[in-house]
PDB file of all heavy atoms in Angstrom:
ATOM      1  N   LEU A  44      -2.333 -29.837   3.727  1.00  0.00           N
ATOM      2  CA  LEU A  44      -3.781 -29.890   3.976  1.00  0.00           C
ATOM      3  C   LEU A  44      -4.325 -28.524   4.355  1.00  0.00           C
ATOM      4  O   LEU A  44      -5.384 -28.101   3.874  1.00  0.00           O
ATOM      5  CB  LEU A  44      -4.074 -30.913   5.071  1.00  0.00           C
ATOM      6  CG  LEU A  44      -5.546 -31.053   5.494  1.00  0.00           C
ATOM      7  CD1 LEU A  44      -6.407 -31.488   4.305  1.00  0.00           C
ATOM      8  CD2 LEU A  44      -5.672 -32.040   6.646  1.00  0.00           C
ATOM      9  N   GLY A  45      -3.588 -27.806   5.221  1.00  0.00           N
ATOM     10  CA  GLY A  45      -4.053 -26.481   5.638  1.00  0.00           C
ATOM     11  C   GLY A  45      -4.130 -25.506   4.480  1.00  0.00           C
ATOM     12  O   GLY A  45      -5.096 -24.752   4.356  1.00  0.00           O
ATOM     13  N   VAL A  46      -3.127 -25.515   3.596  1.00  0.00           N
ATOM     14  CA  VAL A  46      -3.154 -24.622   2.435  1.00  0.00           C
ATOM     15  C   VAL A  46      -4.315 -24.973   1.512  1.00  0.00           C
ATOM     16  O   VAL A  46      -5.023 -24.091   1.009  1.00  0.00           O
ATOM     17  CB  VAL A  46      -1.819 -24.685   1.676  1.00  0.00           C
ATOM     18  CG1 VAL A  46      -1.896 -23.881   0.381  1.00  0.00           C
ATOM     19  CG2 VAL A  46      -0.674 -24.170   2.543  1.00  0.00           C
ATOM     20  N   CYS A  47      -4.538 -26.277   1.285  1.00  0.00           N
ATOM     21  CA  CYS A  47      -5.653 -26.708   0.421  1.00  0.00           C
ATOM     22  C   CYS A  47      -6.993 -26.294   1.007  1.00  0.00           C
ATOM     23  O   CYS A  47      -7.901 -25.870   0.281  1.00  0.00           O
ATOM     24  CB  CYS A  47      -5.602 -28.222   0.228  1.00  0.00           C
ATOM     25  SG  CYS A  47      -4.207 -28.784  -0.771  1.00  0.00           S
ATOM     26  N   LEU A  48      -7.133 -26.379   2.333  1.00  0.00           N
ATOM     27  CA  LEU A  48      -8.389 -25.952   2.980  1.00  0.00           C
ATOM     28  C   LEU A  48      -8.611 -24.451   2.788  1.00  0.00           C
ATOM     29  O   LEU A  48      -9.741 -24.013   2.504  1.00  0.00           O
ATOM     30  CB  LEU A  48      -8.349 -26.295   4.465  1.00  0.00           C
ATOM     31  CG  LEU A  48      -8.506 -27.780   4.834  1.00  0.00           C
ATOM     32  CD1 LEU A  48      -8.227 -27.994   6.312  1.00  0.00           C
ATOM     33  CD2 LEU A  48      -9.902 -28.275   4.475  1.00  0.00           C
ATOM     34  N   LEU A  49      -7.558 -23.665   2.921  1.00  0.00           N
ATOM     35  CA  LEU A  49      -7.718 -22.221   2.758  1.00  0.00           C
ATOM     36  C   LEU A  49      -7.967 -21.834   1.306  1.00  0.00           C
ATOM     37  O   LEU A  49      -8.718 -20.894   1.028  1.00  0.00           O
ATOM     38  CB  LEU A  49      -6.482 -21.494   3.279  1.00  0.00           C
ATOM     39  CG  LEU A  49      -6.460 -21.225   4.788  1.00  0.00           C
ATOM     40  CD1 LEU A  49      -5.260 -20.388   5.163  1.00  0.00           C
ATOM     41  CD2 LEU A  49      -7.729 -20.552   5.253  1.00  0.00           C
ATOM     42  N   VAL A  50      -7.352 -22.532   0.374  1.00  0.00           N
ATOM     43  CA  VAL A  50      -7.631 -22.263  -1.042  1.00  0.00           C
ATOM     44  C   VAL A  50      -9.088 -22.583  -1.361  1.00  0.00           C
ATOM     45  O   VAL A  50      -9.774 -21.848  -2.084  1.00  0.00           O
ATOM     46  CB  VAL A  50      -6.672 -23.064  -1.941  1.00  0.00           C
ATOM     47  CG1 VAL A  50      -7.099 -22.976  -3.401  1.00  0.00           C
ATOM     48  CG2 VAL A  50      -5.243 -22.547  -1.794  1.00  0.00           C
ATOM     49  N   THR A  51      -9.593 -23.704  -0.806  1.00  0.00           N
ATOM     50  CA  THR A  51     -11.006 -24.038  -0.984  1.00  0.00           C
ATOM     51  C   THR A  51     -11.900 -22.962  -0.382  1.00  0.00           C
ATOM     52  O   THR A  51     -12.907 -22.555  -0.977  1.00  0.00           O
ATOM     53  CB  THR A  51     -11.311 -25.396  -0.330  1.00  0.00           C
ATOM     54  OG1 THR A  51     -10.430 -26.387  -0.870  1.00  0.00           O
ATOM     55  CG2 THR A  51     -12.750 -25.811  -0.584  1.00  0.00           C
ATOM     56  N   THR A  52     -11.534 -22.479   0.806  1.00  0.00           N
ATOM     57  CA  THR A  52     -12.288 -21.395   1.437  1.00  0.00           C
ATOM     58  C   THR A  52     -12.283 -20.143   0.570  1.00  0.00           C
ATOM     59  O   THR A  52     -13.310 -19.467   0.419  1.00  0.00           O
ATOM     60  CB  THR A  52     -11.675 -21.078   2.814  1.00  0.00           C
ATOM     61  OG1 THR A  52     -11.656 -22.255   3.609  1.00  0.00           O
ATOM     62  CG2 THR A  52     -12.476 -20.006   3.537  1.00  0.00           C
ATOM     63  N   MET A  53     -11.137 -19.844  -0.015  1.00  0.00           N
ATOM     64  CA  MET A  53     -11.024 -18.676  -0.889  1.00  0.00           C
ATOM     65  C   MET A  53     -11.952 -18.806  -2.094  1.00  0.00           C
ATOM     66  O   MET A  53     -12.668 -17.866  -2.453  1.00  0.00           O
ATOM     67  CB  MET A  53      -9.582 -18.523  -1.352  1.00  0.00           C
ATOM     68  CG  MET A  53      -9.342 -17.399  -2.343  1.00  0.00           C
ATOM     69  SD  MET A  53      -7.663 -17.423  -3.026  1.00  0.00           S
ATOM     70  CE  MET A  53      -7.785 -18.855  -4.107  1.00  0.00           C
ATOM     71  N   LEU A  54     -11.963 -19.982  -2.701  1.00  0.00           N
ATOM     72  CA  LEU A  54     -12.833 -20.198  -3.861  1.00  0.00           C
ATOM     73  C   LEU A  54     -14.295 -20.108  -3.476  1.00  0.00           C
ATOM     74  O   LEU A  54     -15.115 -19.524  -4.197  1.00  0.00           O
ATOM     75  CB  LEU A  54     -12.518 -21.557  -4.496  1.00  0.00           C
ATOM     76  CG  LEU A  54     -11.101 -21.705  -5.081  1.00  0.00           C
ATOM     77  CD1 LEU A  54     -10.884 -23.127  -5.575  1.00  0.00           C
ATOM     78  CD2 LEU A  54     -10.883 -20.719  -6.208  1.00  0.00           C
ATOM     79  N   PHE A  55     -14.660 -20.692  -2.330  1.00  0.00           N
ATOM     80  CA  PHE A  55     -16.047 -20.593  -1.856  1.00  0.00           C
ATOM     81  C   PHE A  55     -16.422 -19.140  -1.597  1.00  0.00           C
ATOM     82  O   PHE A  55     -17.544 -18.710  -1.897  1.00  0.00           O
ATOM     83  CB  PHE A  55     -16.221 -21.410  -0.579  1.00  0.00           C
ATOM     84  CG  PHE A  55     -16.382 -22.896  -0.823  1.00  0.00           C
ATOM     85  CD1 PHE A  55     -16.265 -23.426  -2.091  1.00  0.00           C
ATOM     86  CD2 PHE A  55     -16.657 -23.765   0.227  1.00  0.00           C
ATOM     87  CE1 PHE A  55     -16.415 -24.784  -2.337  1.00  0.00           C
ATOM     88  CE2 PHE A  55     -16.810 -25.131   0.001  1.00  0.00           C
ATOM     89  CZ  PHE A  55     -16.687 -25.630  -1.282  1.00  0.00           C
ATOM     90  N   ASP A  56     -15.478 -18.376  -1.028  1.00  0.00           N
ATOM     91  CA  ASP A  56     -15.748 -16.972  -0.721  1.00  0.00           C
ATOM     92  C   ASP A  56     -15.964 -16.157  -1.988  1.00  0.00           C
ATOM     93  O   ASP A  56     -16.720 -15.176  -1.999  1.00  0.00           O
ATOM     94  CB  ASP A  56     -14.576 -16.400   0.080  1.00  0.00           C
ATOM     95  CG  ASP A  56     -14.956 -15.148   0.837  1.00  0.00           C
ATOM     96  OD1 ASP A  56     -16.158 -14.912   1.023  1.00  0.00           O
ATOM     97  OD2 ASP A  56     -14.052 -14.400   1.240  1.00  0.00           O
ATOM     98  N   LEU A  57     -15.313 -16.558  -3.074  1.00  0.00           N
ATOM     99  CA  LEU A  57     -15.447 -15.828  -4.330  1.00  0.00           C
ATOM    100  C   LEU A  57     -16.732 -16.151  -5.074  1.00  0.00           C
ATOM    101  O   LEU A  57     -17.278 -15.294  -5.773  1.00  0.00           O
ATOM    102  CB  LEU A  57     -14.242 -16.127  -5.239  1.00  0.00           C
ATOM    103  CG  LEU A  57     -12.886 -15.581  -4.770  1.00  0.00           C
ATOM    104  CD1 LEU A  57     -11.782 -16.077  -5.684  1.00  0.00           C
ATOM    105  CD2 LEU A  57     -12.889 -14.061  -4.749  1.00  0.00           C
ATOM    106  N   VAL A  58     -17.220 -17.395  -4.941  1.00  0.00           N
ATOM    107  CA  VAL A  58     -18.342 -17.824  -5.784  1.00  0.00           C
ATOM    108  C   VAL A  58     -19.674 -17.848  -5.066  1.00  0.00           C
ATOM    109  O   VAL A  58     -20.707 -18.003  -5.715  1.00  0.00           O
ATOM    110  CB  VAL A  58     -18.069 -19.226  -6.379  1.00  0.00           C
ATOM    111  CG1 VAL A  58     -16.771 -19.239  -7.149  1.00  0.00           C
ATOM    112  CG2 VAL A  58     -18.063 -20.308  -5.291  1.00  0.00           C
ATOM    113  N   ASP A  59     -19.697 -17.688  -3.730  1.00  0.00           N
ATOM    114  CA  ASP A  59     -20.976 -17.845  -3.037  1.00  0.00           C
ATOM    115  C   ASP A  59     -21.985 -16.776  -3.447  1.00  0.00           C
ATOM    116  O   ASP A  59     -23.157 -17.070  -3.703  1.00  0.00           O
ATOM    117  CB  ASP A  59     -20.775 -17.861  -1.521  1.00  0.00           C
ATOM    118  CG  ASP A  59     -20.230 -16.545  -0.993  1.00  0.00           C
ATOM    119  OD1 ASP A  59     -19.691 -15.761  -1.794  1.00  0.00           O
ATOM    120  OD2 ASP A  59     -20.344 -16.306   0.214  1.00  0.00           O
ATOM    121  N   GLY A  60     -21.503 -15.505  -3.522  1.00  0.00           N
ATOM    122  CA  GLY A  60     -22.425 -14.438  -3.919  1.00  0.00           C
ATOM    123  C   GLY A  60     -22.909 -14.612  -5.347  1.00  0.00           C
ATOM    124  O   GLY A  60     -24.084 -14.402  -5.648  1.00  0.00           O
ATOM    125  N   TRP A  61     -22.005 -14.986  -6.244  1.00  0.00           N
ATOM    126  CA  TRP A  61     -22.412 -15.192  -7.640  1.00  0.00           C
ATOM    127  C   TRP A  61     -23.422 -16.324  -7.729  1.00  0.00           C
ATOM    128  O   TRP A  61     -24.424 -16.212  -8.452  1.00  0.00           O
ATOM    129  CB  TRP A  61     -21.189 -15.544  -8.479  1.00  0.00           C
ATOM    130  CG  TRP A  61     -21.553 -15.964  -9.878  1.00  0.00           C
ATOM    131  CD1 TRP A  61     -21.755 -15.149 -10.947  1.00  0.00           C
ATOM    132  CD2 TRP A  61     -21.805 -17.295 -10.341  1.00  0.00           C
ATOM    133  NE1 TRP A  61     -22.096 -15.878 -12.053  1.00  0.00           N
ATOM    134  CE2 TRP A  61     -22.139 -17.215 -11.707  1.00  0.00           C
ATOM    135  CE3 TRP A  61     -21.775 -18.546  -9.733  1.00  0.00           C
ATOM    136  CZ2 TRP A  61     -22.444 -18.329 -12.474  1.00  0.00           C
ATOM    137  CZ3 TRP A  61     -22.071 -19.667 -10.501  1.00  0.00           C
ATOM    138  CH2 TRP A  61     -22.403 -19.557 -11.845  1.00  0.00           C
ATOM    139  N   PHE A  62     -23.184 -17.416  -6.984  1.00  0.00           N
ATOM    140  CA  PHE A  62     -24.080 -18.570  -7.068  1.00  0.00           C
ATOM    141  C   PHE A  62     -25.475 -18.216  -6.554  1.00  0.00           C
ATOM    142  O   PHE A  62     -26.496 -18.552  -7.177  1.00  0.00           O
ATOM    143  CB  PHE A  62     -23.486 -19.730  -6.249  1.00  0.00           C
ATOM    144  CG  PHE A  62     -24.163 -21.051  -6.507  1.00  0.00           C
ATOM    145  CD1 PHE A  62     -23.716 -21.887  -7.512  1.00  0.00           C
ATOM    146  CD2 PHE A  62     -25.254 -21.452  -5.746  1.00  0.00           C
ATOM    147  CE1 PHE A  62     -24.329 -23.098  -7.763  1.00  0.00           C
ATOM    148  CE2 PHE A  62     -25.873 -22.654  -5.987  1.00  0.00           C
ATOM    149  CZ  PHE A  62     -25.421 -23.479  -6.986  1.00  0.00           C
ATOM    150  N   ALA A  63     -25.502 -17.497  -5.410  1.00  0.00           N
ATOM    151  CA  ALA A  63     -26.804 -17.132  -4.857  1.00  0.00           C
ATOM    152  C   ALA A  63     -27.552 -16.177  -5.776  1.00  0.00           C
ATOM    153  O   ALA A  63     -28.757 -16.311  -5.984  1.00  0.00           O
ATOM    154  CB  ALA A  63     -26.620 -16.501  -3.474  1.00  0.00           C
ATOM    155  N   ALA A  64     -26.845 -15.210  -6.375  1.00  0.00           N
ATOM    156  CA  ALA A  64     -27.506 -14.270  -7.281  1.00  0.00           C
ATOM    157  C   ALA A  64     -27.947 -14.956  -8.571  1.00  0.00           C
ATOM    158  O   ALA A  64     -29.011 -14.651  -9.124  1.00  0.00           O
ATOM    159  CB  ALA A  64     -26.546 -13.113  -7.600  1.00  0.00           C
ATOM    160  N   ARG A  65     -27.158 -15.912  -9.031  1.00  0.00           N
ATOM    161  CA  ARG A  65     -27.474 -16.613 -10.287  1.00  0.00           C
ATOM    162  C   ARG A  65     -28.759 -17.410 -10.160  1.00  0.00           C
ATOM    163  O   ARG A  65     -29.580 -17.462 -11.086  1.00  0.00           O
ATOM    164  CB  ARG A  65     -26.294 -17.535 -10.651  1.00  0.00           C
ATOM    165  CG  ARG A  65     -26.560 -18.470 -11.815  1.00  0.00           C
ATOM    166  CD  ARG A  65     -26.692 -17.710 -13.128  1.00  0.00           C
ATOM    167  NE  ARG A  65     -26.868 -18.596 -14.242  1.00  0.00           N
ATOM    168  CZ  ARG A  65     -28.019 -19.165 -14.591  1.00  0.00           C
ATOM    169  NH1 ARG A  65     -29.122 -18.893 -13.889  1.00  0.00           N
ATOM    170  NH2 ARG A  65     -28.080 -19.951 -15.643  1.00  0.00           N
ATOM    171  N   PHE A  66     -28.972 -18.035  -9.008  1.00  0.00           N
ATOM    172  CA  PHE A  66     -30.150 -18.874  -8.830  1.00  0.00           C
ATOM    173  C   PHE A  66     -31.210 -18.241  -7.934  1.00  0.00           C
ATOM    174  O   PHE A  66     -32.125 -18.912  -7.485  1.00  0.00           O
ATOM    175  CB  PHE A  66     -29.721 -20.233  -8.255  1.00  0.00           C
ATOM    176  CG  PHE A  66     -28.883 -21.033  -9.214  1.00  0.00           C
ATOM    177  CD1 PHE A  66     -27.502 -21.075  -9.086  1.00  0.00           C
ATOM    178  CD2 PHE A  66     -29.470 -21.726 -10.254  1.00  0.00           C
ATOM    179  CE1 PHE A  66     -26.722 -21.800  -9.974  1.00  0.00           C
ATOM    180  CE2 PHE A  66     -28.700 -22.453 -11.147  1.00  0.00           C
ATOM    181  CZ  PHE A  66     -27.323 -22.497 -11.004  1.00  0.00           C
ATOM    182  N   GLU A  67     -31.041 -16.932  -7.628  1.00  0.00           N
ATOM    183  CA  GLU A  67     -32.046 -16.164  -6.883  1.00  0.00           C
ATOM    184  C   GLU A  67     -32.422 -16.869  -5.587  1.00  0.00           C
ATOM    185  O   GLU A  67     -33.585 -17.021  -5.256  1.00  0.00           O
ATOM    186  CB  GLU A  67     -33.294 -15.947  -7.746  1.00  0.00           C
ATOM    187  CG  GLU A  67     -33.011 -15.196  -9.031  1.00  0.00           C
ATOM    188  CD  GLU A  67     -34.263 -15.026  -9.866  1.00  0.00           C
ATOM    189  OE1 GLU A  67     -35.306 -15.595  -9.493  1.00  0.00           O
ATOM    190  OE2 GLU A  67     -34.187 -14.334 -10.887  1.00  0.00           O
ATOM    191  N   SER A  68     -31.406 -17.247  -4.838  1.00  0.00           N
ATOM    192  CA  SER A  68     -31.691 -17.989  -3.605  1.00  0.00           C
ATOM    193  C   SER A  68     -31.295 -17.219  -2.350  1.00  0.00           C
ATOM    194  O   SER A  68     -31.248 -17.781  -1.272  1.00  0.00           O
ATOM    195  CB  SER A  68     -30.917 -19.314  -3.630  1.00  0.00           C
ATOM    196  OG  SER A  68     -29.529 -19.064  -3.770  1.00  0.00           O
ATOM    197  N   GLN A  69     -30.983 -15.916  -2.471  1.00  0.00           N
ATOM    198  CA  GLN A  69     -30.586 -15.160  -1.301  1.00  0.00           C
ATOM    199  C   GLN A  69     -31.803 -14.789  -0.465  1.00  0.00           C
ATOM    200  O   GLN A  69     -32.912 -14.616  -0.957  1.00  0.00           O
ATOM    201  CB  GLN A  69     -29.855 -13.885  -1.711  1.00  0.00           C
ATOM    202  CG  GLN A  69     -28.469 -14.163  -2.257  1.00  0.00           C
ATOM    203  CD  GLN A  69     -27.621 -12.914  -2.177  1.00  0.00           C
ATOM    204  OE1 GLN A  69     -27.583 -12.256  -1.139  1.00  0.00           O
ATOM    205  NE2 GLN A  69     -26.937 -12.600  -3.254  1.00  0.00           N
ATOM    206  N   SER A  70     -31.578 -14.664   0.817  1.00  0.00           N
ATOM    207  CA  SER A  70     -32.578 -14.169   1.745  1.00  0.00           C
ATOM    208  C   SER A  70     -31.873 -13.273   2.747  1.00  0.00           C
ATOM    209  O   SER A  70     -30.644 -13.257   2.832  1.00  0.00           O
ATOM    210  CB  SER A  70     -33.258 -15.324   2.476  1.00  0.00           C
ATOM    211  OG  SER A  70     -32.318 -16.009   3.295  1.00  0.00           O
ATOM    212  N   ASN A  71     -32.659 -12.523   3.535  1.00  0.00           N
ATOM    213  CA  ASN A  71     -32.042 -11.645   4.524  1.00  0.00           C
ATOM    214  C   ASN A  71     -31.239 -12.436   5.542  1.00  0.00           C
ATOM    215  O   ASN A  71     -30.161 -12.019   5.970  1.00  0.00           O
ATOM    216  CB  ASN A  71     -33.127 -10.830   5.236  1.00  0.00           C
ATOM    217  CG  ASN A  71     -33.767  -9.827   4.303  1.00  0.00           C
ATOM    218  OD1 ASN A  71     -33.139  -9.363   3.358  1.00  0.00           O
ATOM    219  ND2 ASN A  71     -35.027  -9.496   4.555  1.00  0.00           N
ATOM    220  N   LEU A  72     -31.772 -13.606   5.953  1.00  0.00           N
ATOM    221  CA  LEU A  72     -31.058 -14.431   6.912  1.00  0.00           C
ATOM    222  C   LEU A  72     -29.757 -14.945   6.325  1.00  0.00           C
ATOM    223  O   LEU A  72     -28.709 -14.957   6.985  1.00  0.00           O
ATOM    224  CB  LEU A  72     -31.940 -15.605   7.349  1.00  0.00           C
ATOM    225  CG  LEU A  72     -31.309 -16.574   8.368  1.00  0.00           C
ATOM    226  CD1 LEU A  72     -30.957 -15.824   9.649  1.00  0.00           C
ATOM    227  CD2 LEU A  72     -32.257 -17.730   8.661  1.00  0.00           C
ATOM    228  N   ALA A  73     -29.784 -15.360   5.062  1.00  0.00           N
ATOM    229  CA  ALA A  73     -28.567 -15.860   4.419  1.00  0.00           C
ATOM    230  C   ALA A  73     -27.516 -14.751   4.300  1.00  0.00           C
ATOM    231  O   ALA A  73     -26.324 -14.990   4.525  1.00  0.00           O
ATOM    232  CB  ALA A  73     -28.894 -16.413   3.039  1.00  0.00           C
ATOM    233  N   GLU A  74     -27.973 -13.519   3.993  1.00  0.00           N
ATOM    234  CA  GLU A  74     -27.021 -12.419   3.884  1.00  0.00           C
ATOM    235  C   GLU A  74     -26.408 -12.095   5.238  1.00  0.00           C
ATOM    236  O   GLU A  74     -25.204 -11.848   5.354  1.00  0.00           O
ATOM    237  CB  GLU A  74     -27.735 -11.186   3.323  1.00  0.00           C
ATOM    238  CG  GLU A  74     -26.785 -10.043   3.013  1.00  0.00           C
ATOM    239  CD  GLU A  74     -27.488  -8.899   2.310  1.00  0.00           C
ATOM    240  OE1 GLU A  74     -28.601  -9.109   1.806  1.00  0.00           O
ATOM    241  OE2 GLU A  74     -26.918  -7.809   2.275  1.00  0.00           O
ATOM    242  N   LEU A  75     -27.223 -12.130   6.300  1.00  0.00           N
ATOM    243  CA  LEU A  75     -26.708 -11.889   7.645  1.00  0.00           C
ATOM    244  C   LEU A  75     -25.726 -12.989   8.041  1.00  0.00           C
ATOM    245  O   LEU A  75     -24.657 -12.711   8.604  1.00  0.00           O
ATOM    246  CB  LEU A  75     -27.875 -11.825   8.642  1.00  0.00           C
ATOM    247  CG  LEU A  75     -27.486 -11.649  10.117  1.00  0.00           C
ATOM    248  CD1 LEU A  75     -26.720 -10.350  10.308  1.00  0.00           C
ATOM    249  CD2 LEU A  75     -28.729 -11.681  10.999  1.00  0.00           C
ATOM    250  N   ALA A  76     -26.089 -14.226   7.737  1.00  0.00           N
ATOM    251  CA  ALA A  76     -25.195 -15.339   8.056  1.00  0.00           C
ATOM    252  C   ALA A  76     -23.885 -15.216   7.295  1.00  0.00           C
ATOM    253  O   ALA A  76     -22.799 -15.493   7.837  1.00  0.00           O
ATOM    254  CB  ALA A  76     -25.881 -16.663   7.715  1.00  0.00           C
ATOM    255  N   ASP A  77     -23.961 -14.781   6.044  1.00  0.00           N
ATOM    256  CA  ASP A  77     -22.757 -14.621   5.242  1.00  0.00           C
ATOM    257  C   ASP A  77     -21.813 -13.605   5.884  1.00  0.00           C
ATOM    258  O   ASP A  77     -20.599 -13.807   5.964  1.00  0.00           O
ATOM    259  CB  ASP A  77     -23.152 -14.174   3.837  1.00  0.00           C
ATOM    260  CG  ASP A  77     -21.962 -14.119   2.896  1.00  0.00           C
ATOM    261  OD1 ASP A  77     -21.045 -14.945   3.067  1.00  0.00           O
ATOM    262  OD2 ASP A  77     -21.943 -13.260   2.011  1.00  0.00           O
ATOM    263  N   ARG A  78     -22.372 -12.502   6.391  1.00  0.00           N
ATOM    264  CA  ARG A  78     -21.545 -11.482   7.022  1.00  0.00           C
ATOM    265  C   ARG A  78     -20.935 -11.993   8.324  1.00  0.00           C
ATOM    266  O   ARG A  78     -19.756 -11.753   8.621  1.00  0.00           O
ATOM    267  CB  ARG A  78     -22.370 -10.218   7.281  1.00  0.00           C
ATOM    268  CG  ARG A  78     -22.904  -9.574   6.011  1.00  0.00           C
ATOM    269  CD  ARG A  78     -23.511  -8.211   6.318  1.00  0.00           C
ATOM    270  NE  ARG A  78     -24.202  -7.677   5.164  1.00  0.00           N
ATOM    271  CZ  ARG A  78     -23.609  -7.134   4.115  1.00  0.00           C
ATOM    272  NH1 ARG A  78     -22.302  -7.083   4.084  1.00  0.00           N
ATOM    273  NH2 ARG A  78     -24.310  -6.661   3.100  1.00  0.00           N
ATOM    274  N   LEU A  79     -21.723 -12.675   9.117  1.00  0.00           N
ATOM    275  CA  LEU A  79     -21.211 -13.211  10.381  1.00  0.00           C
ATOM    276  C   LEU A  79     -20.109 -14.233  10.142  1.00  0.00           C
ATOM    277  O   LEU A  79     -19.098 -14.261  10.854  1.00  0.00           O
ATOM    278  CB  LEU A  79     -22.354 -13.843  11.186  1.00  0.00           C
ATOM    279  CG  LEU A  79     -23.407 -12.874  11.734  1.00  0.00           C
ATOM    280  CD1 LEU A  79     -24.532 -13.644  12.403  1.00  0.00           C
ATOM    281  CD2 LEU A  79     -22.772 -11.897  12.724  1.00  0.00           C
ATOM    282  N   LEU A  80     -20.286 -15.056   9.132  1.00  0.00           N
ATOM    283  CA  LEU A  80     -19.285 -16.082   8.853  1.00  0.00           C
ATOM    284  C   LEU A  80     -18.034 -15.467   8.231  1.00  0.00           C
ATOM    285  O   LEU A  80     -16.926 -15.958   8.461  1.00  0.00           O
ATOM    286  CB  LEU A  80     -19.888 -17.152   7.940  1.00  0.00           C
ATOM    287  CG  LEU A  80     -21.040 -17.943   8.581  1.00  0.00           C
ATOM    288  CD1 LEU A  80     -21.638 -18.923   7.590  1.00  0.00           C
ATOM    289  CD2 LEU A  80     -20.574 -18.678   9.815  1.00  0.00           C
TER     290      LEU A  80
END
Side-chain angles (χ1 to χ4, degrees):
L44 178 60
V46 174
C47 291
L48 287 171
L49 276 185
V50 171
T51 304
T52 304
M53 176 188 72
L54 296 175
F55 280 5
D56 200 18
L57 292 174
V58 304
D59 64 342
W61 172 86
F62 193 89
R65 172 68 177 80
F66 294 100
E67 300 179 354
S68 58
Q69 288 200 48
S70 65
N71 292 332
L72 180 60
E74 187 173 344
L75 177 60
D77 186 33
R78 298 189 189 283
L79 292 175
L80 295 177

